[in-house]
Amino acid sequence: LEVLVHNAPALHLYRRLGYTPRRDLVFWRATPETFVPSPAAGDLAAANAADFLDTLYRWQTEPPAWQRTQRSVERYLSDLWGYVMQNNGEAVGYVACLPTAPNEPGKPRVRIMAMAVHPDGDRAALAHRLVASLRAHLPDTTISVINEPEASLFAPALRAGNQAAPIAEAMA
């Protein structure tokens, strides 16, 4: 069960019914106007998301919100933009993005549907590098993530110089 953090009546009702908060989910958005090149950025290469989604979901450390489970994301498979980040020829990160309709003509937007970094090595540094690399690869694009667990490996990298706000509480 997910509840918007600003919906006080619903939060109160669910707590009275015995539900307890399990985790906070955040919305993150980066616009071209907030883009600052990062020395952490590496090269991203286009990749077919169908070829890496199984690996990406095996590498994730935090269960995604229901909208971003593998089953949900696979529904958009033919529309996804996939990227791989490599180190010495080996894949160390993947990101799958869904292009969305622009709010204004000529201003492209994508939503990150899934992302993960290799379980070996410095995962926090790889997560930061993956986010910075995506921003560098799409500098003129508004990039967003909806319902990213606040405790995720990517949360610090997403917050760095960008707009992030709690939007929901997952309750159990």
Side-chain angles (χ1 to χ4, degrees):
L1 175 66
E2 292 175 9
V3 182
L4 295 175
V5 296
H6 303 296
N7 189 345
L11 285 168
H12 179 71
L13 171 66
Y14 293 132
R15 286 187 176 118
R16 266 195 12 235
L17 292 172
Y19 289 93
T20 57
R22 198 179 78 185
R23 65 182 180 175
D24 288 337
L25 303 171
V26 297
F27 171 79
W28 169 80
R29 184 176 69 169
T31 62
E33 295 78 25
T34 64
F35 175 67
V36 176
S38 169
D43 289 333
L44 282 184
N48 185 340
D51 294 339
F52 67 70
L53 271 185
D54 286 337
T55 301
L56 181 153
Y57 280 95
R58 269 196 320 274
W59 286 1
Q60 286 187 340
T61 57
E62 179 81 17
W66 68 269
Q67 302 94 332
R68 295 176 50 218
T69 63
Q70 186 170 357
R71 182 175 174 182
S72 295
V73 170
E74 285 175 343
R75 292 181 181 156
Y76 302 103
L77 203 52
S78 63
D79 297 320
L80 292 177
W81 294 357
Y83 299 99
V84 60
M85 181 176 71
Q86 296 185 336
N87 190 24
N88 296 324
E90 296 292 323
V92 294
Y94 294 109
V95 61
C97 300
L98 181 67
T100 59
N103 288 341
E104 299 174 43
K107 295 201 174 186
R109 296 184 328 158
V110 297
R111 176 166 294 149
I112 296 173
M113 299 299 289
M115 57 187 159
V117 294
H118 197 283
D120 296 338
D122 184 345
R123 294 187 77 145
L126 287 173
H128 182 75
R129 183 173 152 217
L130 184 61
V131 171
S133 299
L134 184 64
R135 294 280 329 265
H137 192 75
L138 301 171
D140 299 323
T141 302
T142 295
I143 304 169
S144 64
V145 179
I146 191 165
N147 289 352
E148 180 68 13
E150 191 167 39
S152 92
L153 179 64
F154 290 93
L158 293 172
R159 275 191 222 100
N162 301 298
Q163 301 170 9
I167 59 164
E169 277 190 28
M171 302 181 87

